[in-house]
């Protein structure tokens, strides 16, 4: 079936592009000694995580317990949850995963987290494992000083919680549009992570895992001594926002298929909007770049640009999301495509698993 | 069960506030002769639509066929689809609804739409019905001139498609922050709709339905001669964006419950972000207004404001969405609450029914 015969709006996943992106990422890490534990928050789909593991990923990173549960059900891992588990309900869900034999490590950043984990361990008889999240300059979660990090590592050991290492994420680099200042910012962030790692080593608690970085800083992070693994996620499908940061390396694998409703002199309107396409990183573009989704209402997009002259009502068009992660979170299935033909359908089982 | 014992992030729906909002809307229309056909795009939940019908709504408006299918399955209607049905797959879905005996009227805005409907009618032996969408100044879909509208009405009659009337929506009024210029803009839009209606009457095709207006222009639209019914949707739950347009009338019925992960000097971080809370209409606020979700990443919100001083990790807090429609689209269930206690759970069956 031709992919453009599908009802709209829906997501198309180009399998050739996915395979290219996996190969390109593994090639960029080859010989660096830095491993990849790709982030599940982008694909949210076990079939994709399996391809990543088969290509050499050492495990999968998740943001939420709900995503970890999806992976556990699919028998995929080991799992690193790059986020804190907070509140008794979630702590008990973590212990239930451990009781199933799932290899999962979670992040802690405070005595509060360690105490909740330790209480959960006592309640359940499980032995959780943790990495310490350090603040690499993003001002979100994470310990502020190496001394805090060392204190937490000691607390983990004292509470009988497995101590696996540290993680830090330099997400604030996306706010820096220029390449050279951005490089300096990434290097400063990774330097900060390494200072925490060195303090731990000096305290006799060398971190096994030093995990950092998304797709856009892979080139720098993979050349930084001390970093053991990366959490890159977006590279798998790529999106137009990331193309600005990693030009020419990855291909657009994910597009949103939409139907034109009407065409006017200066714009066309199609049947996707904020309820099926995100625009938190700006407008989506047509594959050939000749028009963009300039304005979204809830169920409509205004298309503008020279390419609209060739459009007519009823026509199907593909848009490259500016932010794949938040767009696919609105959908339940990938229509998997090779050479424009639908070859499979993969459920996005992790979509909206935000608990 | 206390609502704050629920796992997070999740949606709470205050039933007292829903009932207040229904009563306030019906009171504002009482004696005006203008009926209400509330928009399903906001609640997306049959239980809520049933409450609206029981209170006197003459039917339900939807944006998408998927929403109409949800209502049809629940036995609720009649249904007005305030949007075009484009493409053979969707036309055939519409005919299937008609074959089930569902009372549904769809919008057309071009000869293309009427032709597709007529072809679908011939294929299926069904007799669809339509309103003509006119452009009330928003520059999205809709006929531009009364002459176009009259021509389409004649085409409907010629093709054997039921002609029900017209609709126009003045959504561009939201871009006007000041009250008096906004009033003029709404009046101009409704005046434009009425000019189409008058041209139809002069042509011997008086519209049965003249449908316009969302929650924020109800007060004006309900006093405008010629308008027969309103499509107001947001009033049912209200959100902080609409409070700026209709201050003091409706109550916040919908909140997002989230858990604090960490608290710092100048901010706190909680476990909701762009994947569970929208910010297309600006930041969400705490119920008491003492802090707001100043910044969202995918799974984290930065809370700022004086109220964060009282927060601690593990604490549950409620946020009032700035845009309920796009927030609830990310969720699958309302936890229905009275006086802080969970009394029911209503599936959001229309969430992401964007096809």
């Amino acid at each position: 079936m031709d992919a453009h015969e599908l009802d709209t709006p829906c997501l198309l996943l180009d399998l050739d592009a996915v395979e290219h992106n996996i190969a390109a990422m593994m090639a960029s890490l080859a010989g660096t000694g830095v491993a990849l534990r790709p982030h599940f928050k982008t694909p949210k789909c076990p079939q994709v995580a399996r391809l990543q593991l088969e290509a050499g990923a050492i495990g999968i990173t998740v943001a939420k317990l709900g995503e970890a549960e999806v992976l556990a059900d699919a028998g995929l891992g080991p799992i690193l949850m790059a986020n804190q588990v907070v509140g008794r309900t979630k702590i008990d869900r973590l212990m239930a995963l451990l009781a199933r034999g799932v290899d999962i490590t979670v992040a802690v950043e405070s005595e509060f987290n360690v105490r909740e984990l330790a209480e959960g361990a006592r309640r359940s008889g499980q032995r959780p494992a943790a990495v310490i999240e350090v603040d690499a300059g993003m001002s979100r979660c994470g310990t502020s000083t190496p001394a805090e990090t060392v204190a937490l590592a000691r607390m983990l050991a004292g509470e009988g919680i497995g101590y696996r290492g540290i993680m830090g994420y330099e997400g604030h680099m996306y706010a820096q549009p220029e390449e050279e200042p951005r490089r300096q910012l990434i290097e400063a962030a990774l330097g900060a992570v390494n200072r925490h790692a060195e303090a731990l080593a000096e305290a006799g608690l060398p971190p096994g895992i030093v995990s950092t970085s998304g797709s856009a800083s892979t080139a720098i992070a993979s050349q930084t001594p001390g970093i053991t693994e990366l959490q890159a996620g977006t590279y798998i499908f790529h999106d137009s926002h990331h193309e600005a940061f990693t030009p020419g390396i990855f291909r657009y694998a994910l597009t949103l298929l939409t139907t034109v409703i009407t065409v006017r002199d200066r714009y066309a309107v199609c049947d996707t909007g904020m309820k099926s396409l995100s625009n938190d990183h700006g407008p989506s573009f047509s594959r050939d770049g000749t028009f963009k989704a300039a304005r979204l209402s809830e169920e409509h997009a205004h298309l503008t640009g020279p390419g609209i002259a060739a459009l007519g009502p009823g026509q199907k068009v593909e848009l490259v999301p500016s932010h794949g992660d938040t767009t696919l979170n609105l959908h339940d299935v990938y229509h998997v495509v090779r050479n424009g033909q639908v070859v499979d359908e993969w459920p996005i089982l992790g979509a909206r698993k935000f608990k």
Side-chain angles (χ1 to χ4, degrees), chain A:
Chain A
M1 180 191 191
D2 187 300
H4 283 213
E5 291 174 29
L6 291 165
D7 200 6
T8 62
C10 70
L11 290 181
L12 307 184
L13 190 62
D14 185 318
L15 200 46
D16 287 332
V18 171
E19 289 170 355
H20 167 86
N21 292 344
I22 289 175
M25 177 56 85
M26 295 320 288
S28 77
L29 297 180
T32 66
V34 175
L36 180 69
R37 201 185 297 260
H39 214 308
F40 193 61
K41 79 183 181 65
T42 299
K44 289 177 170 285
C45 173
Q47 279 94 334
V48 176
R50 187 170 288 117
L51 292 177
Q52 292 171 306
L53 289 164
E54 286 169 358
I58 61 164
I60 305 289
T61 304
V62 302
K64 293 281 178 144
L65 272 180
E67 295 172 349
E69 288 161 347
V70 167
L71 283 173
D73 291 346
L76 300 174
I79 301 167
L80 173 66
M81 180 167 154
N83 202 349
Q84 287 70 41
V85 180
V86 175
R88 178 158 175 162
T89 309
K90 287 191 174 65
I91 293 281
D92 287 347
R93 286 168 59 203
L94 172 65
M95 298 304 152
L97 281 176
L98 293 168
R100 287 170 59 183
V102 174
D103 182 348
I104 179 169
T105 300
V106 301
V108 295
E109 61 112 50
S110 67
E111 292 185 15
F112 174 85
N113 300 146
V114 178
R115 240 181 354 256
E116 280 208 320
L117 271 184
E119 286 164 14
R122 281 191 288 273
R123 275 199 304 277
S124 64
Q126 298 302 315
R127 189 169 187 276
V131 292
I132 298 164
E133 180 173 359
V134 308
D135 185 350
M138 192 169 54
S139 299
R140 196 164 69 184
C141 297
T143 54
S144 303
T145 64
E148 271 183 69
T149 304
V150 169
L152 273 195
R154 290 205 173 107
M155 191 177 168
L156 284 173
E159 294 283 1
I161 297 168
Y163 158 66
R164 295 279 178 274
I166 63 173
M167 62 155 280
Y169 176 51
E170 67 287 0
H172 53 301
M173 54 77 69
Y174 287 108
Q176 176 49 260
E178 288 178 50
E179 192 175 342
E180 189 45 36
R182 188 164 68 243
R183 163 179 286 275
Q184 291 169 18
L185 203 155
I186 295 168
E187 287 173 351
L190 299 178
V193 171
N194 270 331
R195 277 194 296 283
H196 288 257
E198 287 154 14
L200 286 163
E202 282 166 23
L205 293 157
I209 291 173
V210 181
S211 173
T212 70
S213 294
S215 303
S217 33
T218 293
I220 299 166
S222 63
Q223 301 296 329
T224 302
I227 307 303
T228 66
E229 60 182 67
L230 305 180
Q231 297 177 6
T234 309
Y235 80 92
I236 188 71
F237 297 162
H238 202 48
D239 57 30
S240 62
H241 179 246
H242 273 76
E243 179 63 15
F245 296 96
T246 56
I249 300 170
F250 303 109
R251 293 189 192 151
Y252 297 136
L254 186 76
T255 54
L256 183 118
L257 187 71
T258 176
T259 302
V260 175
I261 298 174
T262 195
V263 182
R264 305 290 161 101
D265 282 349
R266 295 208 305 250
Y267 64 88
V269 177
C270 65
D271 72 348
T272 183
M274 289 186 279
K275 286 179 175 170
S276 49
L277 175 68
S278 71
N279 64 349
D280 49 85
H281 282 339
S284 301
F285 285 84
S286 61
R287 270 198 174 277
D288 64 4
T290 62
F291 57 85
K292 64 176 177 177
R295 192 173 108 200
L296 299 184
S297 40
E298 289 179 39
E299 303 283 11
H300 297 83
H302 273 66
L303 306 178
T304 60
I308 65 159
L311 301 181
Q315 192 173 335
K316 305 276 177 73
V317 296
E318 289 179 50
L319 295 171
V320 177
S322 60
H323 195 184
D325 299 35
T326 47
T327 293
L328 63 90
N329 185 52
L330 296 162
H331 292 255
D332 292 318
V333 70
Y334 298 123
H335 300 278
V336 184
V337 171
R338 273 209 208 263
N339 299 319
Q341 296 295 306
V342 179
V343 295
D344 211 342
E345 198 176 286
W346 291 350
I348 312 173
L349 296 178
R352 304 173 306 282
K353 289 289 186 288
F354 43 65
K355 278 185 193 167

